[in-house]
Amino acid sequence: MTQKGGRRGSLVADKRYSSSKQASPKAAPKPRKTRAKKPRPPRRHGPIVGAILGLARLIRRIVWGFGWRIAMIVALVVGAATLYFYSTLPDYTQLLDGRTRGSVTMLDDEGKVFAWRGETFGGQIDAKNVSPWLRDAVVATEDRRFYNHFGISPRGIASAIAINLRAGRGPFDGNGGSTITQQTAKLLCLGVTFDPKGWKNEAAYEDDCRSGGLRRKIKEVPYAFALELKYSKDQILSIYLNRAYLGAGARGFEAASERYFGISAANLDPQQAAMLAGLLKAPTRYAPTNDLKRSQDRAETVLMLMHEQGFLTDRQYLDARNNPATLSQAAQKRAGGYFADWIMDTIPDFLSRDTTEDVVIKTTLDQRIQSAAEEAMQSVFDNKVKKDSDAEAAIVVMSADGAVRGMVGGRATKVTGAFNHATMAQRQSGSTFKPFVYATALDLGYTPDSMVDDAPLTVKMPGSPDWTPRNYERNYMGPITLTTALEHSVNVATVRVSEAVGRENVIKVAEGFGFAQNLPYLPSVALGVGESDLLDMTGAYAGILNGGSSVQPYGLTSLTLKGDDQPLFGKPGGIGERVISQKAARELTYMMRQVVLDGTGRRANIDGYDIAGKTGTTQSARDAWFIGFTSDYVVGVWMGNDDNTPLKGVTGGGLPAEIFHETMKRVLDGQPAKPLPAANPAEWQSQPQQYPGQTQSAGGAAPAEPRRQRRNPSDSILKELLGIFGAN
């Protein structure tokens, strides 16, 4: 079908086709509308501000440019120093015991430790094997981030600087913020070992090792890094636990645990561990042997830190806080300080103060007796001496063979290194010398019942004025027995006996017993003008107790190097040569027993026990003594002032006798009573008597010849006296 005009009409399909052909080409994408950036308005700074800002940007670029270079140089230097220190570090076991000197450990007569000298090392311990409470306490107190850092803690250092500045100190004075690794580096002295040629002494070396300040901190950093690279955390902690000083001469936690608690560091409970960890801040100040309460307060702070850091549960914390650690019985007593010092003085320095080995010394000390003496001293001064008195006193307890069982060298009983009045003070002996006068007479044949005339006496002294002795009470008793003369400490009668038996013989007997040397050859020697110390005096009386033989006082029984089986040497003292006969010693013991029963020494008596002794008071009461004995022990007591001024109202029969009484009361407590080795009066009452004077016995018996004459054997004692004293 066509349209008019010869043209064919369009089909619907054609229209669709045409329409589709026109629409097939893609339409051109419409342009994206973008927001035009608004230009920044120019900054309106003045020329001055602009110049300042420009200068600041310049400085920042300069600092950055130099800063990273300097940091790189520092890192290289620190790295090189770290590698150097790393190459010098040995196996960690070689660093556990860093002492330059050895120690001296003293054992009592039962083998128990009672004293240490030098720096004691208790033996190597490992951080893995010690009590976990100890490990946790140290970490909580000293370095809570120990297991998470690489040797230093910038946060800890910054905190320490802030604390120091707030306290008004320099930034590196006081708290140092050191990690355990840094503290270990300091204990190792940054690898510098002690060289006698390079240091004045060990103290100067250690002071340098412990010094602080910025320079020291800088040196510690690479050494701490080297430690972290070389050793594990447990090994570093092990070095620290072994080398730390914890007061009272204890080097390392094992030694401190044994010193303060009498147990190994492996067996510490939380409160004990906290107390030891608390010592690290200031070992001497917080040592429990110096101030237990202060140490317990410090331990409570450590327990709180352990609780806060999760090392203790609430219940464990409360239990530990409510039951603070206390010292072992031996540490509480601190018995035998004077005794230990005396022992150190009796052995060579290379085995004591200067030893490079660990030395073990077995001694004669009886801790029960030592405590008895210390308690007696304290009791008398607390209850019977004026509070403002400066008087000093000393006690020695000894066996008959010279073995020293206890020693107190002064009023302050729990001390170390103090002046020892028992061994160092040379003082006149006064009437405690008189037994040696009578020992001489008895050994020459007189008996306790021999008579002597207590009457005025003047001794002629060629080249010097005549000397006239006086009795203490300024009266005379007339004819008396030797026993009565000693019992009441009669001066004139004693001088008469001394001159009769021979002054030189008296001196010989006294020196034979070890009383003293170089006694003056004067008639006054009989009254104790010669000087001696308490130890020698007590030893001389021990010779009377043992039957008449001299003794050399001793306290050491053996000295052994730690680890050796055989001792280097044994006891240096004991019983020596016989001085007087056993019979004379027994008779003298009888006479000295009467001194305690009815004479000047009555305050020393203890009911139910046999005690013999002698009082002594020197001129103007500058010294007061009492020395006495039971069947087992001799106890010597001295009192006086250090400036040698007279004591006020004190004689040997007073406070010294009471100190003896209090000592022996404690020593004898629970012990069976034993008789003294004293003679029976029946042994001599049937014998003819000799008379150191003009008075004869009621029966008119003539003087008998002495058993053993040392002087003028052909003359009787009566003729001797007449020759010396003329009409007297």
Side-chain angles (χ1 to χ4, degrees), residues 77-95:
V77 171
V78 171
T82 301
L83 292 176
Y84 167 75
F85 286 133
Y86 178 89
S87 67
T88 63
L89 293 173
D91 183 84
Y92 94 100
T93 57
Q94 299 180 32
L95 302 176

Side-chain angles (χ1 to χ4, degrees), residues 369-536:
I369 292 177
Q370 177 66 34
S371 296
E374 293 179 358
E375 291 169 7
M377 176 83 78
Q378 195 68 45
S379 175
V380 170
F381 272 90
D382 285 347
N383 299 311
K384 298 187 177 182
V385 178
K386 292 182 179 179
K387 301 301 181 183
D388 60 350
S389 172
D390 294 326
E392 276 291 352
I395 305 171
V396 171
V397 184
M398 185 183 297
S399 297
D401 67 345
V404 178
R405 302 300 183 183
M407 178 183 291
V408 183
R411 291 176 61 173
T413 57
K414 302 183 185 302
V415 296
T416 300
F419 183 84
N420 191 338
H421 296 84
T423 62
M424 298 177 179
Q426 294 286 321
R427 310 296 286 252
Q428 287 190 353
S429 60
S431 293
T432 52
F433 183 86
K434 289 176 180 175
F436 305 112
V437 175
Y438 293 97
T440 307
L442 294 171
D443 198 47
L444 288 172
Y446 304 111
T447 74
D449 283 348
S450 294
M451 303 296 291
V452 60
D453 194 13
D454 179 37
L457 173 67
T458 298
V459 181
K460 298 184 180 299
M461 301 177 61
S464 299
D466 295 345
W467 178 65
T468 302
R470 297 285 186 269
N471 288 331
Y472 181 76
E473 295 182 354
R474 297 294 191 270
N475 58 11
Y476 299 95
M477 301 178 70
I480 55 177
T481 65
L482 300 190
T483 299
T484 301
L486 182 62
E487 179 181 322
H488 296 285
S489 198
V490 184
N491 289 342
V492 176
T494 302
V495 174
R496 195 182 295 276
V497 173
S498 175
E499 293 299 300
V501 300
R503 194 185 310 164
E504 65 275 19
N505 291 330
V506 172
I507 292 173
K508 184 176 181 180
V509 167
E511 292 183 348
F513 275 120
F515 166 77
Q517 301 299 320
N518 300 318
L519 289 170
Y521 188 75
L522 297 170
S524 57
V525 72
L527 304 183
V529 297
E531 293 184 343
S532 185
D533 59 53
L534 179 61
L535 180 65
D536 285 344

